Amino acid sequence: MSDLLSNLPIARKLFLASVIPALTVLLLSVLTYRSVTTFSDDEGQLNDIYYSQRLASEYLRLVVDLETGFRGFVLTSQEHYLFPYRTAQDHVLNIGRTLEAQVSAYDDQRALITSVQKLVRQFIDEKETLIEAVKAEHTEEARLYIEEGKGRTLMLTIRQDMGRFEHLAQTALNTKLAKLAQDRDTMLMTILGGGLFALICMVAALHLIAHSITTPLERLATAVMATDTHPIPHVPVMTRTDEIGNLSRVMHAMSSAIHSHIAALQLSEANLRKLNQDLAGSEAKYRSIVDHAPFGIFTTRGMTLVFSNRYNSLLAGLDPSEEKDPDAVRRAIHPEDRERVIEEFAQAVTEGQPYETVFRFLHADGTVRKVLSRRIPIRDHSGEVVMYQGFNVDITALDLMQSRLRRAERLATLGQVAAGIAHEIRNPLVGIGSTTSLLLDDTDPTDARRPDLAVILQETKRLDRIVNQIIDYARPREIVAFAFDMAQLVQEVMKVLDEPLTRKQATIRLSAPDAPYTIQADRDQLKQVLLNVLQNAIEASPSGGTTTVTLVQQARGVEPGLEVTVADRGTGISPTHLPHVFEPFFTSGKPQGTGLGLAICRNILEAHGGEIALDSEVGRGTTVRVWAPLRQQPLRMQEEEQHAGHDLRHG
């Protein structure tokens, strides 16, 4: 009998009770209708509470979007950060009014929402005032508002009130759930009790019918109850062929599908997490490579610089640790190159073409970096240029090496010529000089030919001195470096020049307040430089003139050095002659000079890694600046020795 009722459709089971008298059915129907109506009302109220909770969550989320959009706009001053703020502003008050109407039946909840609405309006008014100030470029008040957390108190009050509202809503929900359960039990008791009372004669039949319906429902309800360990339970399949059996099979299929979807979702989440980790690692690796690349990497959108790596900032003479100003790199371009580079790059951007050029960066300390710059357009799928990817390569050392190589080639050629001169001219000069000396010794002092012989001997010595200077200019410089005091060396040179100083009644004034000035260099070669420069200054100065020698420690870039400044008040050098003073055999105003003195000085200083510069103004005098590093780098000394050995082997 039990199996028969289990497999019998519910409609037929209920048909078995149709024999109840009509009055009993009517009474039972009235009672049942009342219970069902109460149950439906409770369900409607329960749905209203659920809806109120969703509205409250959405309301609080919009308030958070207001704060987030406001902070993003204040911190960046970019208009697109106001989009979430404006969206939240358009909806939050409407949702608040909807929520207020939704809970109008609950005085305590309605009072809370009304209070929160006032707070939100105050919250929006404060933000609107600050946003207008930021748009007017008065960001200090807004930033102070954020830093002092003035909006945080209001936000906390809103959160607390919404938390109390959520608590009240949850309490109402629990109450309604309890009442719903109570009404359900009442409805069941009414149906069962009324049926038992009216159909006492069919107690057994109705019991079997109720048992065949309620027992599988209870089993099904027990099976679908979620636990902490199994939030999505497995629904068993019942062997019944009635509607409950069909329902169990449908629910079993649904639970299996949910489990399958959850497993796929968990797998996708794990893959996504791993992908994010890999992506973060790749991004960090790429950024590290770009930041530590030995050349400048930068990106522009149109003419605006949007990215510059660490080395590019160093090339421009900027501090990589400081916040980058997009225009700072452009301002660091040498003034003589800046306008050309900007115009040419603007033309390339307009035409969407690659751009390559050579220009110079001028640092704040006067250092100049020569750069090969290449910029390539990056296009999107439609062929439009979205950005330019640029690379700056420091070619300062390469340019210097090329200059030195060209000069070395010229020196090598000159060395060959000097060797030929030494071979072809020096030996005859020695013969002429020796013969002339013997003739002078054998000639009577009263002989009319004796002055001619003296002239021959004097000119022979002068030719020999010229040949020696040519060879000295052409030969490689081998540096024998040791530490000495530059101030003491200047004083020695001043003593050597006592005779020309006395003859011209001139003086040399030395300014060396921080003596001693210890430097590691080839003392004899630097002495030759000082002798040549001071001799030129004395010859250029008027009678009774004063030449000033100043010593000061001065770094070039990161390398410490010493600068010797020699200033005279002589006739000066004309602007047309000034660019050629360091060229071999060029002389101005010295009929007895060979034009090799300053050229030899430059050779000596370049071999030391230093430099010599000359400024002059006609009628006001000349200033020579000699700079040399305080220490000779081992690599430079080794290169000079190898270069010298190479020239000796091939000279």
Side-chain angles (χ1 to χ4, degrees):
M1 185 67 178
S2 177
D3 292 339
L4 179 62
L5 289 175
S6 297
N7 295 322
L8 191 66
I10 294 177
R12 295 185 181 181
K13 294 174 185 176
L14 297 176
F15 180 74
L16 294 176
S18 62
V19 294
I20 300 175
L23 184 60
T24 305
V25 172
L26 179 61
L27 178 61
L28 187 60
S29 298
V30 171
L31 295 175
T32 303
Y33 174 78
R34 184 177 179 182
S35 299
V36 169
T37 302
T38 303
F39 188 77
S40 299
D41 292 340
D42 291 339
E43 284 186 335
Q45 294 176 3
L46 189 63
N47 290 333
D48 290 341
I49 294 174
Y50 283 139
Y51 182 59
S52 299
Q53 288 180 329
R54 289 197 298 273
L55 286 177
S57 298
E58 178 66 14
Y59 187 77
L60 187 57
R61 184 188 68 78
L62 291 172
V63 172
V64 173
D65 287 349
L66 283 172
E67 180 67 13
T68 303
F70 168 73
R71 284 176 174 267
F73 175 72
V74 170
L75 294 177
T76 63
S77 297
Q78 296 182 10
E79 286 290 337
H80 69 268
Y81 280 101
L82 284 179
F83 179 76
Y85 174 85
R86 296 300 183 196
T87 303
Q89 183 183 9
D90 292 338
H91 293 84
V92 66
L93 294 178
N94 293 334
I95 290 179
R97 286 190 290 269
T98 303
L99 185 59
E100 191 174 359
Q102 188 70 25
V103 299
S104 60
Y106 304 94
D107 294 337
D108 49 356
Q109 296 183 30
R110 186 180 70 247
L112 270 177
I113 290 301
T114 303
S115 174
V116 170
Q117 279 283 82
K118 293 180 180 179
L119 293 175
V120 170
R121 289 190 183 94
Q122 178 185 349
F123 190 71
I124 292 174
D125 292 340
E126 291 179 358
K127 296 297 185 290
E128 284 295 324
T129 302
L130 294 174
I131 287 172
E132 292 302 322
V134 172
K135 288 182 177 180
E137 299 184 356
H138 301 294
T139 61
E140 294 79 10
E141 182 181 356
R143 291 183 181 272
L144 186 62
Y145 179 89
I146 293 175
E147 292 172 358
E148 294 181 356
K150 292 182 179 179
R152 194 174 303 161
T153 302
L154 193 57
M155 188 70 182
L156 182 60
T157 303
I158 293 172
R159 287 180 179 274
Q160 291 174 348
D161 287 350
M162 291 304 295
R164 287 195 291 272
F165 174 83
E166 181 67 24
H167 176 71
L168 292 175
Q170 187 63 40
T171 303
L173 176 64
N174 294 337
T175 302
K176 288 298 178 183
L177 287 173
K179 189 173 183 305
L180 183 66
Q182 182 181 359
D183 291 339
R184 183 190 61 187
D185 294 340
T186 301
M187 182 180 66
L188 291 176
M189 291 299 297
T190 300
I191 295 173
L192 294 177
L196 288 174
F197 178 75
L199 301 173
I200 192 65
C201 60
M202 299 184 65
V203 171
L206 291 176
H207 174 72
L208 290 174
I209 294 172
H211 185 271
S212 67
I213 295 174
T214 58
T215 298
L217 287 176
E218 289 176 357
R219 290 171 54 195
L220 195 60
T222 302
V224 299
M225 287 181 62
T227 62
D228 294 337
T229 56
H230 297 87
I232 307 297
H234 288 278
V235 180
V237 177
M238 297 183 180
T239 58
R240 303 163 61 97
T241 58
D242 60 353
E243 290 86 344
I244 297 176
N246 294 334
L247 179 62
S248 69
R249 283 185 284 275
V250 171
M251 294 181 68
H252 174 76
M254 290 176 61
S255 67
S256 299
I258 291 173
H259 277 283
S260 176
H261 291 323
I262 289 177
L265 183 63
Q266 290 174 343
L267 180 61
S268 298
E269 182 181 4
N271 293 335
L272 182 60
R273 188 180 296 110
K274 185 177 183 303
L275 184 62
N276 286 336
Q277 292 174 351
D278 295 341
L279 183 61
S282 299
E283 182 180 359
K285 184 187 299 182
Y286 169 75
R287 185 169 295 278
S288 176
I289 292 173
V290 169
D291 257 352
H292 295 85
F295 51 87
I297 301 176
F298 62 95
T299 304
T300 66
R301 295 191 185 277
M303 297 293 293
T304 303
L305 181 70
V306 296
F307 171 75
S308 175
N309 73 338
R310 177 184 179 86
Y311 194 84
N312 199 56
S313 298
L314 293 175
L315 276 180
L318 305 175
D319 187 351
S321 61
E322 295 181 356
E323 185 176 352
K324 293 181 175 63
D325 178 7
D327 290 332
V329 175
R330 184 177 300 174
R331 290 194 300 269
I333 299 177
H334 198 288
E336 297 177 1
D337 300 337
R338 187 182 304 141
E339 184 176 354
R340 172 184 62 82
V341 173
I342 293 175
E343 290 180 355
E344 292 177 354
F345 183 49
Q347 181 67 25
V349 171
T350 303
E351 298 174 357
Q353 297 296 321
Y355 176 64
E356 182 174 323
T357 187
V358 175
F359 64 88
R360 294 165 293 171
F361 278 124
L362 179 61
H363 295 186
D365 60 359
T367 304
V368 176
R369 290 284 185 180
K370 197 168 187 179
V371 172
L372 170 63
S373 182
R374 180 173 298 166
R375 309 169 191 197
I376 304 170
I378 306 299
R379 304 179 185 273
D380 59 13
H381 64 280
S382 63
E384 293 293 327
V385 177
V386 295
M387 67 178 67
Y388 268 79
Q389 186 64 57
F391 306 92
N392 285 338
V393 180
D394 187 358
I395 60 172
T396 307
L398 178 62
D399 190 63
L400 180 60
M401 289 174 61
Q402 289 177 341
S403 299
R404 289 185 175 180
L405 179 61
R406 289 192 295 269
R407 190 165 182 276
E409 290 174 350
R410 290 198 303 270
L411 288 178
T413 303
L414 186 58
Q416 294 176 356
V417 174
I421 291 174
H423 179 72
E424 299 295 337
I425 297 179
R426 177 173 280 178
N427 290 336
L429 285 178
V430 171
I432 293 171
S434 300
T435 303
T436 304
S437 296
L438 292 175
L439 289 174
L440 278 173
D441 292 340
D442 295 339
T443 302
D444 188 85
T446 60
D447 194 328
R449 294 171 298 177
R450 187 176 179 87
D452 296 333
L453 293 174
V455 170
I456 294 173
L457 183 60
Q458 180 181 354
E459 291 301 313
T460 302
K461 291 179 179 179
R462 188 174 71 86
L463 287 175
D464 185 63
R465 185 171 65 254
I466 292 174
V467 170
N468 288 334
Q469 287 183 344
I470 293 173
I471 295 174
D472 186 46
Y473 172 75
R475 69 179 177 85
R477 299 288 165 182
E478 182 177 357
I479 299 175
V480 181
F482 61 91
F484 62 91
D485 181 12
M486 179 62 78
Q488 183 180 0
L489 180 62
V490 173
Q491 291 174 350
E492 289 183 13
V493 173
M494 291 167 59
K495 290 181 181 179
V496 172
L497 297 173
D498 276 345
E499 190 273 332
L501 286 171
T502 303
R503 184 173 63 249
K504 210 164 188 180
Q505 297 179 351
T507 58
I508 297 177
R509 186 174 67 235
L510 174 62
S511 174
D514 298 328
Y517 293 87
T518 304
I519 183 172
Q520 184 192 57
D522 192 312
R523 194 176 191 275
D524 292 337
Q525 293 188 25
L526 290 190
K527 184 175 182 180
Q528 182 180 354
V529 172
L530 293 175
L531 277 170
N532 201 310
V533 173
L534 286 172
Q535 180 70 38
N536 289 344
I538 294 171
E539 292 178 357
S541 297
S543 297
T546 300
T547 299
T548 303
V549 180
T550 305
L551 274 65
V552 61
Q553 289 190 357
Q554 186 179 71
R556 297 291 172 89
V558 297
E559 187 169 19
L562 178 64
E563 184 176 84
V564 181
T565 303
V566 179
D568 64 63
R569 299 298 178 185
T571 57
I573 303 173
S574 68
T576 57
H577 291 164
L578 193 60
H580 307 287
V581 294
F582 293 108
E583 294 180 1
F585 305 110
F586 180 83
T587 181
S588 174
K590 292 175 62 178
Q592 300 300 322
T594 61
L596 290 172
L598 289 178
I600 292 173
C601 291
R602 186 174 68 174
N603 280 359
I604 292 173
L605 287 168
E606 287 182 350
H608 281 76
E611 60 183 34
I612 181 172
L614 189 146
D615 298 322
S616 185
E617 188 174 348
V618 176
R620 301 195 63 176
T622 301
T623 301
V624 180
R625 292 180 176 84
V626 175
W627 182 88
L630 292 181
R631 294 183 59 83
Q632 291 299 304
Q633 301 297 330
L635 179 61
R636 183 187 300 136
M637 297 173 64
Q638 181 179 355
E639 287 176 350
E640 294 295 337
E641 291 173 2
Q642 291 176 351
H643 183 60
H646 174 80
D647 287 341
L648 288 174
R649 289 192 299 271
H650 296 81

